[in-house]
Amino acid sequence: MTPGHRRLILTRHAKSSWDDPAMADHDRPLNTRGTRAALELGHWLHSRGYEPDELLCSGALRTRETWSVAAAAPLEVTPKIKFLDNLYHAGPDVMLAVLRRATGDCVMMIGHNPGIGELAQRLVSRAPSRPEFLKYPTAATLVVDFEIADWSEAAPGRGSVLDFFVPESDR
């Protein structure tokens, strides 16, 4: 990234398993479809050169697994990783506050709906014209650029959409 620019990769976790209804929500793993989608996401990130140098990830198992499977694709950058319990089912205001403390040039945030989808809608000056954007399905990923020198300057409506991705299995 060039000075005065920051990039955000905003990802909803991949599809999780509901096989054990007694399992705590925080502990639900990815299901087979979710694992496939996370791997597809990793390949897409690599093919486009969207490789984060910092990862801000909810502490839930499904978000951590989304990252670990996506990172198994041939990613070339090893980001500084922060698993943050305050991102678990966080609303957009909490997520933006966490983002404003980021230090990387290219930050990836993995979280949950509805917060992640609401944050995506708030941050961009113009939303992608794809109908999936408003639903923000599992593994949906927005890549948005900001003309800011520091993440503390991130604000609603200041981001420019670079790309939006939904894995084939989640369309």
Side-chain angles (χ1 to χ4, degrees):
M1 301 294 310
T2 59
H5 290 80
R6 297 288 178 267
R7 177 167 291 159
L8 175 63
I9 303 167
L10 199 59
T11 301
R12 181 179 175 194
H13 65 79
K15 192 79 172 160
S16 60
S17 173
W18 288 90
D19 288 345
D20 181 356
M23 181 177 287
D25 181 70
H26 192 273
D27 300 329
R28 288 190 294 113
L30 295 182
N31 66 16
T32 302
R33 180 175 128 195
T35 300
R36 218 173 24 252
L39 187 57
E40 187 180 338
L41 169 64
H43 286 291
W44 179 82
L45 291 169
H46 175 70
S47 73
R48 301 290 178 111
Y50 303 144
E51 302 205 10
D53 54 12
E54 182 175 9
L55 174 71
L56 306 172
C57 184
S58 160
L61 181 58
R62 61 190 175 274
T63 53
R64 295 189 331 256
E65 286 186 348
T66 297
W67 168 251
S68 66
V69 172
L75 297 180
E76 296 175 13
V77 175
T78 302
K80 177 174 63 174
I81 298 174
K82 295 178 185 172
F83 295 113
L84 304 166
D85 285 332
N86 62 339
L87 288 179
Y88 176 65
H89 287 296
D93 293 335
V94 169
M95 297 176 92
L96 182 56
V98 169
L99 177 63
R100 286 180 173 151
R101 293 189 300 272
T103 58
D105 291 332
C106 181
V107 173
M108 183 173 193
M109 182 178 284
I110 304 176
H112 310 265
N113 249 2
I116 200 104
E118 291 173 9
L119 180 63
Q121 290 175 38
R122 288 185 188 183
L123 288 179
V124 299
S125 58
R126 186 170 34 188
S129 59
R130 304 217 355 239
E132 301 102 330
F133 181 72
L134 294 178
K135 295 178 183 175
Y136 227 82
T138 52
T141 299
L142 175 72
V143 181
V144 58
D145 283 350
F146 294 87
E147 301 271 340
I148 56 176
D150 187 87
W151 283 112
S152 63
E153 302 171 43
R158 292 198 57 191
S160 299
V161 173
L162 184 60
D163 219 334
F164 181 67
F165 173 77
V166 177
E168 191 67 39
S169 62
D170 290 348
R171 288 187 192 146

